[in-house]
Amino acid sequence: MEIAVAAPIDQTLTYRLPVKISANPDGDGTISLIGRRVLVPLGGRKVTGYVLAEDVVASGEFKIRDIAEVLDVKPVFPCSLIALFRWISNYYHYPIGEVIRAALPAGMSPRSVRCLELVDSAREDERFLSLPDEKWRITLQEKGSLSAAATKELLASKVWKKTIQQFIKLGVLRLCESVTSDGVKEKMEVCYRLQHWLPQPSVDLPDESEIFQHYRRQLDAELGLELKLSEAKTLYYMKGLEEKSVDGTSPRKELLELYAGAAKGICDLKEKRLVTEQKKRVFRSPLGERLEFFPAPTELTDEQNVALAEIVPAIEQGGYTPFLLHGVTGSGKTEVYLQATAAALRQGKSVLVIVPEIALATQLEAHFVSRFGEQVVLLHSGLSASERFDQWSLAMSGEAKIVIGARSAIFAPLNDLGLIVVDEEHDAGLKQDDSLRYNGRDLAVVRAKQQGIVVLLASATPSVVSYHNALCGKYRLLTMDNRVGNRSLPKVTLIDLRKQQSSGKRSLFRPQLRKALEENFIAGRQSVILINRRGFSSNVLCQECGTPVQCRDCHVTLTLHRSTQQLLCHYCGYSVHEKTVCESCGSMQLVPVGFGTERVETELQEMLPLARVARLDTDTAKDRKAFLQTLKLMRGGEIDILVGTQMVAKGHHFPGVTLVGVVWADGGLAIPDYRAAEKTFQLITQVTGRAGRGDSPGEVYIQTMRPEHYAISLARTHSYRHLVEKELELRKNPAFPPFVRLVAIHIQGESEQDVERSASRIAAACRAAVKEKKSFVEILGPAPSPIDRVKKNYRWQVMIKAASIEILDALCSYVRQNQQELVSGRCKVMLDKDPENMM
């Protein structure tokens, strides 16, 4: 058997299925373990493995070990995903077993662990008792054992490792091995089923007690028994639950909620064989409160019909067909997704919808649930582990035909896929920025190609690379240039922040935007304000010496969050109370500098005290219920002004919004990223699109220090195609994607010298390796990362640009294979293919 193990091993391994396990065949008399998890020995431990193939011819050079245990009755992923797992492993240079572990719901990787135990006969051993009162010694003395995590930490300790080993040799301590269980399991509930047909209550009496007495006499006559009143009441309520149930069972929990005495009644009825007990699986729903209902439109626009005239036949005919849908904000792209989904379902196919963040998944799910009901499931990191496991199981079983989720949903175990939709395909949120650094949009294209299906990438502001692919014929370009109902795009006004404010109190809002907000509120219309920074102030300075308050573990300033009275690091989570002291001079005279969503919200409430102001950012969206409630209130017109980060810019349909204000449009232009202008244009264009989607026209005010910059001036005129032309011209020299491919090699560790030394060796080795290459290759660095220390780790990077993907792959493989020689100390090396985050 070919098995990928959940461990940092590049290749798959071969194991044998022992006879004792092969005696458990499937219902058809054969056994197939492909797609199932198994427990296999690896070195001196046991780890989870994933069966990728059977009947593998093994080399005679190595001893083939036996599978220890089969963990699943049924596959946990379909065979169709195996090709994708292999591709990801090869392309992103990541161990295939770790790829599969990342794809599956958390908590599905049992492994063997070691726990340290105190031998009972040695509890009074003087040598052990004479040890210092360390926490681990006290725990062993009191409980007799340590947890697996505490044992691992202790055995890695330079101080205690030798001592522990000596005590193991002396027989005072022992290491015991055990296998962890799944962190998630099926949820089962007790149900009851009636074993005989029972009549409906024949009369409707005003007094409830009379109803039960009458029904008791009715049952006695029907069944020829003498039932107790509690038994009759239990059967009465079971009859009602049976009518509502799909499978004719009565859940115990619901039955007891209706009638507490059913606990006793059920026992008696089971003895009389009128009721049987069974357990059935129930699925935990992540939908929470009832979603808003969105009815289907009575008719489609001409542009929607034109787009669907190409998409629907492609779905019906089958075969790989990639589309790029460029539709302006408000043009009705969501309805195109829904109509295309309906076409795939008519063909008996399933559909996968990918969005860049949970906020958009939450919005789209309401549209899809309105149209397709219980066929829809969700897969994203906002779900609990058990909810995600259940949603995964529904997709795997085929009960659910539509999966909506963030980037990790690309691994959804859907069989018979007919369509993949990637909404807001330009968004950097589709790229995973740690561990397995994949791009959900790119994997959507790969999966569609492997499975021969339609993939629809869509955005009002497609990435320059995707649009270039469409221009080159790799994708079929579809355009929707007009809003639904022929509504006009909003008028955009630029406000130059370089012009000094008049005397008086300084404000985040210049007079033009301030006046527009006041007039919009008085007119009873809604506004959206964008500031792409959360918190109250982006940093805090000491008034005495000018030193900013920094994170102790990262080279970044702390952000003031006044609502929680904290100074918080947005990279590692470190926090201190806002009333702290300057580490440089000890002064407590600290002053907030800069601004974020909290400060904008506060100033708006002071400016318009009667206005209902709400905030939507990462801090307020942590609670799914609160997030949904905010969106519901906004759509219902119960919020006058919504302040937020980029979270408010994408996809939301707020018909009552007629005014959008951008407090500061230049923040992204200062980032060291070749796509800084593209991302700025996209963010401004997306938030501009929130205005004027209803019956009233929209207005947008953009405050900027650089009104002449092409990204901002082109966003003002909604000139996406000119933006693409400008970016393609600039990226030819120096060369950047789409004209070359990129790999970022990140090196990090707690020793700055080791990190710098490792980065220098890697850069030198790469330069030496490409000397003879005729194709274009450029190696930039080594250099410190723009944020050169995060979570106590110093960070350096080497950037490689090449026209040939084969050269990049060869260099990545070279670095991985020679990592021990190139890397100093305890540094880590991470390869980032097609990087999105340059920080």
Side-chain angles (χ1 to χ4, degrees):
M1 297 244 170
E2 182 189 12
I3 292 176
V5 294
I9 297 175
D10 289 340
Q11 72 273 20
T12 57
L13 302 176
T14 303
Y15 289 87
R16 182 188 296 110
L17 183 67
V19 175
K20 62 181 179 180
I21 295 180
S22 62
N24 299 314
D26 286 344
D28 59 359
T30 62
I31 183 166
S32 176
L33 293 182
I34 295 176
R36 299 196 207 182
R37 298 173 302 146
V38 292
L39 199 65
V40 295
L42 182 67
R45 57 197 174 116
K46 293 189 179 101
V47 298
T48 300
Y50 311 99
V51 181
L52 303 184
E54 297 174 313
D55 301 325
V56 176
V57 178
S59 169
E61 300 175 12
F62 304 99
K63 180 182 177 182
I64 306 301
R65 304 178 74 178
D66 285 345
I67 291 170
E69 184 182 347
V70 176
L71 298 173
D72 301 305
V73 177
K74 297 178 181 179
V76 293
F77 57 84
C79 296
S80 58
L81 274 178
I82 294 174
L84 182 65
F85 293 149
R86 294 187 194 277
W87 188 94
I88 292 169
S89 177
N90 291 330
Y91 185 79
Y92 290 108
H93 299 270
Y94 204 79
I96 185 168
E98 299 282 80
V99 169
I100 300 173
R101 176 158 65 174
L104 295 176
M108 295 183 66
S109 299
R111 67 192 189 284
S112 61
V113 293
R114 295 186 297 173
C115 296
L116 202 59
E117 292 185 353
L118 177 62
V119 177
D120 288 338
S121 59
R123 282 187 176 275
E124 303 302 324
D125 190 289
E126 292 183 5
R127 293 164 298 184
F128 180 74
L129 294 175
S130 65
L131 289 171
D133 286 338
E134 294 286 335
K135 184 179 179 181
W136 63 267
R137 189 196 71 77
I138 295 171
T139 302
L140 277 171
Q141 187 68 28
E142 292 177 351
K143 297 183 178 180
S145 64
L146 292 181
S147 67
T151 299
K152 183 178 179 180
E153 183 180 348
L154 193 59
L155 292 175
S157 166
K158 293 179 180 179
V159 178
W160 295 109
K161 183 178 180 179
K162 287 185 178 179
T163 303
I164 296 299
Q165 290 173 342
Q166 287 173 356
F167 275 108
I168 291 173
K169 287 180 180 179
L170 291 169
V172 175
L173 300 175
R174 63 171 169 243
L175 275 175
C176 297
E177 185 177 289
S178 62
V179 177
T180 61
S181 59
D182 280 347
V184 288
K185 294 181 180 179
E186 296 178 354
K187 183 180 180 181
M188 309 298 290
E189 74 174 359
V190 175
C191 296
Y192 302 108
R193 183 182 296 277
L194 297 170
Q195 288 300 95
H196 298 275
W197 177 87
L198 295 181
Q200 296 284 359
S202 59
V203 292
D204 186 14
L205 300 172
D207 187 279
E208 191 177 65
S209 62
E210 291 183 27
I211 292 176
F212 296 133
Q213 290 288 0
H214 187 277
Y215 192 51
R216 177 186 179 185
R217 291 192 293 272
Q218 190 178 349
L219 290 172
D220 286 348
E222 181 71 33
L223 300 172
L225 297 172
E226 290 187 11
L227 295 177
K228 300 174 186 175
L229 183 59
S230 62
E231 294 171 338
K233 288 177 71 174
T234 300
L235 291 173
Y236 176 89
Y237 287 114
M238 283 186 67
K239 192 68 179 175
L241 289 171
E242 181 188 62
E243 292 177 2
K244 299 176 184 177
S245 172
V246 175
D247 60 358
T249 61
S250 302
R252 177 180 174 85
K253 182 181 178 182
E254 293 182 31
L255 182 59
L256 294 181
E257 285 176 355
L258 292 172
Y259 173 45
K264 177 66 171 65
I266 281 290
C267 293
D268 297 333
L269 291 169
K270 283 164 63 178
E271 287 182 9
K272 293 177 180 177
R273 298 185 179 180
L274 293 176
V275 170
T276 57
E277 179 178 313
Q278 65 185 68
K279 288 186 178 181
K280 72 173 184 178
R281 185 176 182 184
V282 293
F283 294 92
R284 291 151 281 213
S285 173
L287 293 176
E289 66 175 59
R290 186 169 182 154
L291 297 170
E292 184 177 355
F293 180 78
F294 290 93
T298 53
E299 59 181 22
L300 302 181
T301 67
D302 291 341
E303 289 182 328
Q304 287 172 330
N305 282 318
V306 169
L308 288 165
E310 292 203 44
I311 297 170
V312 171
I315 293 171
E316 293 171 345
Q317 293 165 13
Y320 169 61
T321 313
F323 290 98
L324 177 65
L325 175 60
H326 174 215
V328 300
T329 55
S331 59
K333 295 186 290 296
T334 299
E335 186 58 35
V336 173
Y337 309 159
L338 293 165
Q339 295 285 340
T341 296
L345 294 178
R346 287 195 296 271
Q347 299 295 311
K349 303 291 186 179
S350 54
V351 177
L352 175 57
V353 182
I354 307 290
V355 293
E357 60 185 43
I358 298 171
L360 290 177
T362 301
Q363 175 175 281
L364 269 184
E365 74 191 45
H367 287 277
F368 275 82
V369 170
S370 295
R371 199 72 58 91
F372 304 110
E374 294 183 357
Q375 296 185 84
V376 181
V377 295
L378 308 178
L379 282 176
H380 55 67
S381 60
L383 308 181
S384 68
S386 56
E387 287 173 343
R388 186 176 173 86
F389 174 66
D390 281 353
Q391 298 288 284
W392 179 278
S393 300
L394 285 168
M396 182 68 196
S397 69
E399 289 185 49
K401 290 291 187 181
I402 303 166
V403 170
I404 302 174
R407 57 178 176 258
S408 62
I410 190 59
F411 302 114
L414 289 167
N415 285 297
D416 297 321
L417 257 180
L419 171 68
I420 301 177
V421 176
V422 183
D423 189 34
E424 307 294 355
E425 69 85 35
H426 68 279
D427 199 285
L430 290 166
K431 179 69 188 283
Q432 175 83 10
D433 260 342
D434 54 23
S435 302
L436 174 57
R437 301 186 174 214
Y438 65 90
N439 190 305
R441 175 199 60 212
D442 297 345
L443 292 191
V445 175
V446 172
R447 186 171 180 180
K449 190 171 185 178
Q450 288 180 343
Q451 299 187 17
I453 61 172
V454 172
V455 58
L456 175 61
L457 312 180
S459 174
T461 55
S463 73
V464 170
V465 172
S466 292
Y467 202 82
H468 182 261
N469 286 337
L471 295 176
C472 294
K474 289 184 180 179
Y475 301 156
R476 288 167 63 175
L477 181 63
L478 306 171
T479 57
M480 294 166 59
D481 295 327
N482 299 292
R483 286 183 154 188
V484 173
N486 291 319
R487 298 182 179 94
S488 60
L489 288 167
K491 175 188 173 184
V492 181
T493 301
L494 299 182
I495 300 173
D496 192 344
L497 291 175
R498 294 171 300 188
K499 296 178 180 179
Q500 295 296 318
Q501 294 192 55
S502 57
S503 58
K505 183 182 178 181
R506 297 181 66 84
S507 171
L508 294 176
F509 302 97
R510 290 299 170 89
Q512 281 176 280
L513 178 53
R514 186 186 184 97
K515 181 181 178 184
L517 282 166
E518 291 170 347
E519 290 177 349
N520 209 51
F521 171 63
I522 292 170
R525 295 191 288 262
Q526 293 175 296
S527 304
V528 168
I529 299 295
L530 172 73
I531 171 66
N532 205 23
R533 287 183 176 179
R534 59 191 176 107
F536 187 86
S537 296
S538 51
N539 53 71
V540 175
L541 299 179
C542 174
Q543 276 189 314
E544 299 292 331
C545 66
T547 303
V549 180
Q550 283 197 312
C551 175
R552 66 181 181 186
D553 298 327
C554 312
H555 283 172
V556 296
T557 57
L558 297 181
T559 299
L560 172 61
H561 288 253
R562 188 149 282 175
S563 61
T564 57
Q565 297 182 311
Q566 284 185 321
L567 295 173
L568 179 66
C569 175
H570 289 169
Y571 286 85
C572 72
Y574 169 74
S575 65
V576 295
H577 194 275
E578 64 173 325
K579 293 182 179 178
T580 187
V581 297
C582 173
E583 289 190 359
S584 180
C585 69
S587 171
M588 292 189 67
Q589 301 302 311
L590 304 176
V591 57
V593 177
F595 42 84
T597 49
E598 278 189 22
R599 182 174 170 187
V600 171
E601 179 187 23
T602 300
E603 189 160 320
L604 279 168
Q605 288 171 333
E606 292 173 354
M607 185 173 78
L608 297 167
L610 298 180
R612 297 164 295 181
V613 181
R615 175 164 54 92
L616 203 58
D617 54 24
T618 308
D619 299 322
T620 61
K622 287 177 182 176
D623 184 337
R624 175 182 166 83
K625 289 184 179 179
F627 170 74
L628 288 174
Q629 181 65 11
T630 301
L631 294 182
K632 183 179 179 181
L633 292 174
M634 188 67 185
R635 281 194 288 267
E638 296 179 58
I639 293 173
D640 298 310
I641 305 174
L642 181 63
V643 179
T645 56
Q646 60 179 342
M647 198 174 284
V648 303
K650 308 167 195 170
H652 299 293
H653 180 67
F654 302 133
V657 172
T658 55
L659 176 66
V660 167
V662 181
V663 176
W664 184 46
D666 311 312
L669 292 174
I671 295 173
D673 185 343
Y674 70 93
R675 289 156 309 176
E678 177 188 357
K679 290 180 178 180
T680 298
F681 174 92
Q682 288 166 339
L683 182 59
I684 294 174
T685 302
Q686 290 284 341
V687 76
T688 294
R690 298 319 105 207
R693 297 169 74 100
D695 296 330
S696 302
E699 280 187 294
V700 179
Y701 290 86
I702 300 174
Q703 298 185 158
T704 173
M705 297 285 288
R706 304 174 68 180
E708 74 288 343
H709 193 284
Y710 69 91
I712 293 173
S713 61
L714 291 176
R716 182 182 67 83
T717 56
H718 314 288
S719 303
Y720 170 78
R721 293 177 182 84
H722 288 113
L723 182 280
V724 172
E725 291 172 6
K726 180 72 173 178
E727 283 293 306
L728 290 176
E729 179 186 344
L730 291 173
R731 295 185 194 183
K732 287 179 180 177
N733 188 22
F736 279 103
F739 303 109
V740 292
R741 304 292 288 273
L742 295 181
V743 168
I745 303 176
H746 300 281
I747 305 96
Q748 68 178 40
E750 294 188 8
S751 166
E752 187 172 13
Q753 287 184 335
D754 285 345
V755 173
E756 182 179 357
R757 192 180 301 116
S758 300
S760 298
R761 286 178 185 164
I762 289 172
C766 289
R767 287 190 172 97
V770 300
K771 274 188 177 180
E772 305 301 321
K773 303 293 182 183
K774 295 181 181 179
S775 181
F776 169 81
V777 183
E778 185 178 359
I779 297 170
L780 306 175
S785 300
I787 300 176
D788 64 346
R789 188 169 183 256
V790 173
K791 297 179 181 178
K792 298 182 181 179
N793 283 287
Y794 292 92
R795 308 161 79 230
W796 279 58
Q797 63 187 31
V798 177
M799 189 75 70
I800 306 175
K801 298 195 287 187
S804 164
I805 189 65
E806 288 77 16
I807 291 177
L808 285 180
D809 280 330
L811 288 174
C812 288
S813 297
Y814 177 80
V815 170
R816 292 195 71 204
Q817 292 165 7
N818 296 278
Q819 190 167 322
Q820 289 188 342
E821 292 78 25
L822 296 174
V823 178
S824 301
R826 300 177 69 180
C827 297
K828 292 182 181 178
V829 175
M830 291 147 290
L831 302 176
D832 191 359
K833 204 99 165 272
D834 309 319
E836 280 284 338
N837 185 355
M838 297 297 173
M839 301 301 286

